[in-house]
Amino acid sequence: MPWRRTADPYQIWISEIMLQQTRVDTVIPYYKRFIEKFPTLNDLAQADEQILLKQWEGLGYYSRARNLQAGVKEVAENYGGIVPNSRKEISSLKGVGPYTAGAVLSIAYGIPEHAVDGNVMRVLSRILLIEEDIAKPKTRKIFEEAVTEIISHEDPSSFNQGLMELGALICTPTSPKCLLCPVREHCAAFHEGKQNELPIKTKAKKTKSLQYAMVAIRNEGKFLMEQRPESGLLANMWQFPLLETAIDALPLEIEEQLSERLKGVVDKAEKITSFKHVFSHLTWNVDGFIADSKDIVALDRMRWVTAEELELLPVAGPVQKMKTALQQRGDV
């Protein structure tokens, strides 16, 4: 993994943010492109947000990218461009939680600090036979104290990375590879036959589902795009106009709602795709339409774009799915 071949705290910080909620094999090409685009901390601090979001496009959880840049700007302005090497200072940066702080401090600076995430809690719940519910925030403290007690002071970087690798490759959520495990002899859960029962984690509440129509409105070879609000889900990303609708909304209903909203004429709406997009806390069920228009002037935070310009806008997963449907039809 490329971020394991550097001791640069800036690059390690980036990798740890990208690896939150995202698989290693997915992150590697994004990380390489990101470092190439923003090789230094100051490059990222000075970057235009739209260019940043375009580089992050496809990784999801876009607030990670905005918080990363905000934290990097703090380092550039308040710490002379040098990532701080104390938990108190680095934890004060935007988007840097206890895990990221510990990972950067131990891997980049060789400081024996805990870096506890879901992988580490799973590994230690088995090795140390900890039967507390890891879904409860207060349980993390138990694991942080455990790591603080057993971490290597000679090589904390390798210790924390070893725990991370163990969780990623061997001590997996289901069917842990105990026969290949280098610390099996020390694993209390293995000796008691409980490795498949741990960690204990209560299930999250059922996610909320929303029904939308996403409409590719075209006029003279261009598509109407709208920019999402500056805060909240997918902030400042671009999308085809989105309407919250009833299930199986009819094309005529879509035309009427958009014509009223855009103060023009939207007609010939045709359904071209349906898809589901799952976020961490909710699910979008989307019907995708294409429609013609006339006499529509782009409102605030909207613009008409060509197919070429569309490729330059940062868009999230639901819009990528819509673009794919349009490309398959030959519309873009």
Side-chain angles (χ1 to χ4, degrees):
M1 291 176 282
W3 50 85
R4 296 294 182 242
R5 296 195 289 269
T6 180
D8 181 345
Y10 164 67
Q11 294 187 15
I12 292 166
W13 183 4
I14 290 169
S15 71
E16 294 300 341
I17 297 299
M18 286 186 169
L19 287 164
Q20 293 170 8
Q21 308 287 339
T22 310
R23 291 168 54 88
V24 169
D25 52 356
T26 300
V27 166
I28 288 174
Y30 279 93
Y31 171 83
K32 288 179 176 178
R33 288 195 297 268
F34 199 89
I35 295 298
E36 190 175 317
K37 186 74 174 178
F38 311 114
T40 71
L41 187 142
N42 285 326
D43 289 325
L44 180 55
Q46 295 167 13
D48 180 271
E49 188 190 73
Q50 291 290 289
I51 293 174
L52 166 66
L53 292 174
K54 187 66 181 175
Q55 285 294 312
W56 204 272
E57 184 180 279
L59 270 178
Y61 301 92
Y62 293 91
S63 61
R64 292 183 299 174
R66 287 185 289 271
N67 288 340
L68 172 62
Q69 186 179 42
V72 161
K73 285 180 177 178
E74 289 178 61
V75 173
E77 292 167 7
N78 301 330
Y79 296 96
I82 306 298
V83 178
N85 63 358
S86 75
R87 183 174 282 275
K88 182 178 179 181
E89 288 179 316
I90 197 170
S91 297
S92 72
L93 302 174
K94 182 82 170 177
V96 176
Y99 169 78
T100 303
V104 174
L105 292 172
S106 62
I107 298 171
Y109 292 120
I111 299 170
E113 289 279 358
H114 60 74
V116 174
D117 66 353
N119 272 338
V120 170
M121 286 196 284
R122 180 174 64 254
V123 172
L124 291 182
S125 72
R126 290 168 176 165
I127 292 175
L128 302 177
L129 199 62
I130 297 173
E131 297 181 293
E132 303 291 330
D133 182 359
I134 68 169
K136 294 180 178 177
K138 66 178 182 180
T139 302
R140 180 180 294 269
K141 190 74 177 169
I142 297 171
F143 290 93
E144 290 175 347
E145 290 172 353
V147 173
T148 299
E149 189 172 324
I150 64 177
I151 192 170
S152 165
H153 283 246
E154 290 72 34
D155 191 358
S157 172
S158 293
F159 180 91
N160 276 342
Q161 290 185 67
L163 269 182
M164 296 170 194
E165 300 299 312
L166 202 58
L169 302 175
I170 302 293
C171 202
T172 49
T174 57
S175 304
K177 303 175 182 66
C178 296
L179 296 180
L180 300 175
C181 181
V183 294
R184 184 181 64 199
E185 295 305 312
H186 306 284
C187 182
F190 176 76
H191 289 301
E192 295 199 17
K194 290 186 174 182
Q195 66 270 24
N196 290 315
E197 299 170 23
L198 294 171
I200 292 171
K201 183 179 182 180
T202 53
K203 290 185 177 179
K205 295 176 183 176
K206 191 175 180 181
T207 58
K208 181 181 179 183
S209 289
L210 298 174
Q211 184 72 36
Y212 286 109
M214 184 177 287
V215 189
I217 300 172
R218 58 189 174 185
N219 184 275
E220 296 181 355
K222 292 187 176 183
F223 287 95
L224 185 64
M225 299 295 290
E226 64 181 1
Q227 190 174 28
R228 291 183 64 84
E230 293 181 358
S231 61
L233 182 66
L234 306 180
N236 283 337
M237 302 293 281
W238 289 84
Q239 64 188 19
F240 298 102
L242 197 66
L243 294 172
E244 193 163 354
T245 65
I247 296 173
D248 295 326
L250 298 173
L252 182 60
E253 297 175 84
I254 303 298
E255 292 170 3
E256 289 175 348
Q257 285 190 57
L258 282 172
S259 294
E260 181 179 348
R261 175 181 164 192
L262 298 172
K263 299 177 174 55
V265 177
V266 176
D267 60 8
K268 299 181 182 175
E270 176 190 352
K271 185 174 174 180
I272 62 170
T273 188
S274 291
F275 58 84
K276 178 184 290 188
H277 192 86
V278 180
F279 297 95
S280 60
H281 57 298
L282 59 85
T283 298
W284 284 9
N285 297 299
V286 181
D287 289 330
F289 293 81
I290 189 167
D292 291 336
S293 67
K294 57 187 175 185
D295 301 328
I296 287 177
V297 177
L299 304 177
D300 185 42
R301 298 181 71 81
M302 287 185 171
R303 72 165 83 153
W304 290 98
V305 300
T306 63
E308 292 76 17
E309 291 167 335
L310 177 57
E311 289 303 309
L312 299 177
L313 296 179
V315 300
V319 182
Q320 289 284 14
K321 293 173 182 176
M322 186 71 174
K323 282 172 62 179
T324 297
L326 291 168
Q327 287 163 352
Q328 289 172 345
R329 287 169 43 95
D331 291 305
V332 292

